[in-house]
Amino acid sequence: MHVFRPARSRYRLFTKLFKPRGTLDAADLKVSATVAHHMNEVRDAARFPESAVSAGELYAAGIIEEVLRAVVGLYEEENEPQLFDKALHHLNDNVGGEEVDGLLGDFTGAFPPVAVLEELLSVVQYLDSADEDGTPHREGSLEELLMLRLGNENPANVRFRELFDDAPLEARESYDEAIEALESFFEDLDPVEAGSEGSMNLLELLRAPAAASPTSLEGQLRYVKENWTDLLSDRFPGLLDRILRATDVLVEERKDGGLGFGPPPILDAAALAGGGGEYERFSQDSSWMPQVVLLAKSTYVWLHQLSRDYEREIVRLDQVPDQELDRIAAAGFTGLWLIGLWERSTASRTIKHMRGDPDAVASAYALYDYMIAHDLGGEEAYENLRNRAWERGIRLASDMVPNHVGIDGRWVVEHPHWFLSLDHPPYPGYSFTGADLSHDDRVTVQIEDHYWDGTDAAVVFKRYDHQTGETRYIYHGNDGTAMPWNDTAQLNYLEAEVREGVIQTILHVARKFPIIRFDAAMTLAKRHIRRLWFPA
């Protein structure tokens, strides 16, 4: 879409957001999010939410304009190869060459292409030249003028019409005359068959989505999808995909705004199965599993309690007294689940300390690696406890976390491509200027700034690689039930390497522990991964 020169300055919209003809690349969600962010900052939308601009609506408007351009392009190819050359001659004949030139000059000055904005060409020089493909800029500017008019006519664009308000052109009488002349020009062209809508001229066709759903961009997208799929055919499959994506973005924005979706559905086993033929695959090893009576202990807390109860320092697994194991066995427990045995994330502990909890240890579910924690005595201390517990008929149990690792985990450092990530922040307001949470010199790890003051959940963290210079914005672990876990990194199960890496890790854990508790086990289900990360 076009942006009025003063609006570019007011909202600090830099040149790289625009295409050569001067149109904002709003059909790119990243661009729309950036523009919405800048507009909402200037409009102080936090205090005046009624003035807020939706990134999803900007994106939808950009998609709609791109669809309209695609329709025009198809019409040119199949019906009128010299469409805007003929339209320009028609305007010159009916409005006057000087008036048309003046109108196109005013338009180019008010909604400047990149070459004019950067003063590489004057308005006159620009109109006298051509695109790289040889299209004269006068013809291109006339097409842009038509798109500007359609955008202004669309009532659903009201929240951000300030960007492309054509009021500056209204002062010139030739503007309305030119639009009237274009109307008559299109009426004389071959009509387009528009399915159930019947035949209509090109201009009527371009106005049809807004006419069908005047106040809803989502409704206009739905109209295009339902009525123009055959028209766009296979030549523009990407557009249809983006129509779906734009609709999804609008729906998600409404959810965040709390506009009446109600509580999430509570799924039962039947609903999850969904007729897909999925079935349980329990182990047939029933000789002891049904009889397990499991006692859960948070390992560091338990060792602290044992130190108090036995009045001596107990910090390693091999220091757990035989007397305590005897007591557990006598109480009828046949399994001991030790929560937090693995080497934990240093960053997780640092985050807790920086947030005002100096006594906290790292989360048991933000792991550096699957090795018994060094400060618990490592492998040797673990084997000692395991053997002594088994002498009393107690099997040890452990957690395995298949969904994520700590933000400074070994895999984050060594296999960054194993994680869901972007090469840019998903939200333009994100910044990463805080402390480096990595203990490894190869990478810098930073949490999003707004997390520290509690003003944003912050769905990604920044990973900078000192060896390659690559920057990734990796998603925090999330199971879709609450906020992201800001000390974790989300694995990407679409990567075969990830699946194999997790399989081998599960086998590694299973060789040590006959009982495994999978943390957030549902995150391994295909249906869950699709719903949360890849809904399209």
Side-chain angles (χ1 to χ4, degrees):
M1 61 180 65
H2 297 83
V3 179
F4 188 36
R5 188 192 287 259
R8 292 191 190 192
S9 300
R10 182 186 180 201
Y11 294 120
R12 307 185 309 280
L13 304 182
F14 34 88
T15 305
K16 72 176 185 179
L17 298 175
F18 294 86
K19 295 181 179 180
R21 283 192 180 183
T23 54
L24 186 70
D25 193 10
D28 182 325
L29 183 55
K30 179 183 175 184
V31 171
S32 291
T34 300
V35 174
H37 173 69
H38 286 198
M39 293 183 74
N40 290 333
E41 276 195 331
V42 173
R43 293 182 177 188
D44 198 4
R47 291 176 57 206
F48 306 102
E50 70 278 2
S51 68
V53 171
S54 152
E57 289 188 344
L58 270 174
Y59 180 52
I63 294 291
I64 289 168
E65 180 161 322
E66 189 161 330
V67 169
L68 299 185
R69 290 177 184 276
V71 171
V72 170
L74 280 172
Y75 189 85
E76 284 184 292
E77 290 181 21
E78 297 179 0
N79 298 82
E80 290 288 345
Q82 302 295 322
L83 180 63
F84 286 99
D85 177 53
K86 294 176 181 178
L88 194 58
H89 281 90
H90 182 83
L91 263 65
N92 288 337
D93 292 342
N94 289 272
V95 180
E98 289 186 11
E99 286 296 323
V100 172
D101 265 5
L103 174 61
L104 293 179
D106 286 354
F107 167 75
T108 304
F111 301 92
V114 171
V116 173
L117 185 69
E118 295 185 343
E119 299 182 349
L120 301 175
L121 296 173
S122 69
V123 169
V124 173
Q125 288 172 327
Y126 178 81
L127 290 174
D128 286 341
S129 57
D131 288 337
E132 291 183 358
D133 64 0
T135 303
H137 282 157
R138 274 185 174 77
E139 295 178 21
S141 297
L142 181 59
E143 180 180 1
E144 299 306 327
L145 184 70
L146 173 63
M147 290 297 163
L148 178 74
R149 180 67 176 204
L150 293 171
N152 276 268
E153 290 177 355
N154 191 337
N157 288 338
V158 63
R159 276 191 179 272
F160 40 85
R161 183 173 171 177
E162 176 191 357
L163 292 179
F164 50 84
D165 194 338
D166 61 356
L169 302 180
E170 295 282 0
R172 183 180 280 271
E173 290 183 8
S174 57
Y175 181 47
D176 287 336
E177 293 177 11
I179 297 302
E180 290 178 9
L182 281 174
E183 300 267 6
S184 65
F185 170 73
F186 284 112
E187 285 175 1
D188 293 337
L189 297 179
D190 293 338
V192 179
E193 290 299 324
S196 61
E197 299 281 320
S199 63
M200 56 181 72
N201 69 52
L202 179 60
L203 199 53
E204 290 175 325
L205 185 67
L206 297 176
R207 287 170 170 158
S213 185
T215 60
S216 169
L217 291 167
E218 186 178 349
Q220 293 175 29
L221 288 169
R222 193 177 301 114
Y223 174 89
V224 170
K225 188 171 183 292
E226 291 173 356
N227 294 278
W228 288 5
T229 300
D230 291 339
L231 181 67
L232 294 175
S233 67
D234 295 334
R235 193 169 304 189
F236 296 103
L239 277 179
L240 297 179
D241 289 342
R242 278 182 283 171
I243 287 171
L244 172 63
R245 187 180 185 200
T247 304
D248 287 344
V249 170
L250 289 169
V251 170
E252 290 299 319
E253 283 190 336
R254 285 205 301 273
K255 287 181 181 177
D256 291 342
L259 298 181
F261 274 72
I266 298 174
L267 301 179
D268 57 19
L272 285 171
E278 294 185 40
Y279 58 94
E280 301 88 349
R281 285 187 279 187
F282 293 117
S283 168
Q284 296 302 308
D285 184 2
S286 59
S287 60
W288 59 269
M289 287 185 181
Q291 283 78 43
V292 168
V293 182
L294 195 64
L295 174 65
K297 291 290 187 182
S298 179
T299 304
Y300 288 93
V301 175
W302 184 44
L303 295 179
H304 174 76
Q305 292 170 338
L306 292 178
S307 298
R308 180 195 61 203
D309 295 345
Y310 288 89
E311 298 181 344
R312 65 175 186 267
E313 183 180 74
I314 299 175
V315 295
R316 295 163 48 100
L317 298 176
D318 55 2
Q319 293 173 334
V320 173
D322 284 343
Q323 183 181 348
E324 184 65 20
L325 296 177
D326 291 337
R327 189 185 67 82
I328 292 172
F333 293 104
T334 59
L336 178 59
W337 171 20
L338 296 176
I339 300 168
L341 281 176
W342 305 112
E343 195 69 63
R344 304 188 191 191
S345 159
T346 303
S348 177
R349 182 181 66 242
T350 303
I351 292 168
K352 293 175 186 293
H353 292 181
M354 293 178 70
R355 289 297 299 269
D357 190 356
D359 297 323
V361 297
S363 166
Y365 303 104
L367 300 181
Y368 171 74
D369 201 3
Y370 282 90
M371 52 187 181
I372 303 299
H374 176 75
D375 57 1
L376 293 176
E379 296 290 332
E380 184 178 350
Y382 156 73
E383 290 178 6
N384 174 278
L385 176 62
R386 181 192 62 188
N387 294 337
R388 288 189 293 125
W390 182 233
E391 289 173 0
R392 294 159 174 82
I394 300 171
R395 290 177 168 88
L396 293 188
S398 173
D399 289 286
M400 195 281 159
V401 188
N403 186 54
H404 54 264
V405 302
I407 59 174
D408 59 341
R410 181 174 65 83
W411 285 359
V412 172
V413 176
E414 298 178 1
H415 307 290
H417 61 288
W418 286 15
F419 298 88
L420 281 166
S421 66
L422 300 171
D423 61 2
H424 60 275
Y427 299 103
Y430 276 9
S431 58
F432 302 83
T433 62
D436 178 8
L437 298 171
S438 173
H439 63 280
D440 192 309
D441 292 338
R442 290 175 289 179
V443 299
T444 291
V445 169
Q446 293 168 295
I447 286 185
E448 204 277 319
D449 292 341
H450 296 87
Y451 170 76
W452 297 113
D453 59 20
T455 59
D456 198 306
V459 298
V460 296
F461 66 94
K462 179 180 177 180
R463 177 198 182 275
Y464 174 74
D465 193 307
H466 292 282
Q467 295 175 320
T468 66
E470 178 192 53
T471 298
R472 285 178 183 259
Y473 297 89
I474 297 176
Y475 279 87
H476 289 298
N478 199 330
D479 67 355
T481 63
M483 297 295 183
W485 301 304
N486 292 86
D487 53 1
T488 67
Q490 176 68 45
L491 288 162
N492 180 7
Y493 271 92
L494 265 62
E495 293 287 339
E497 285 183 62
V498 172
R499 299 194 297 272
E500 182 60 27
V502 173
I503 287 170
Q504 294 305 320
T505 302
I506 291 171
L507 293 175
H508 165 71
V509 175
R511 292 184 184 104
K512 290 183 173 296
F513 297 92
I515 304 171
I516 304 175
R517 179 259 180 183
F518 285 95
D519 179 65
M522 74 286 191
T523 58
L524 286 178
K526 289 181 183 178
R527 195 167 278 128
H528 174 93
I529 293 168
R530 182 192 307 131
R531 177 187 69 83
L532 184 58
W533 297 110
F534 303 97

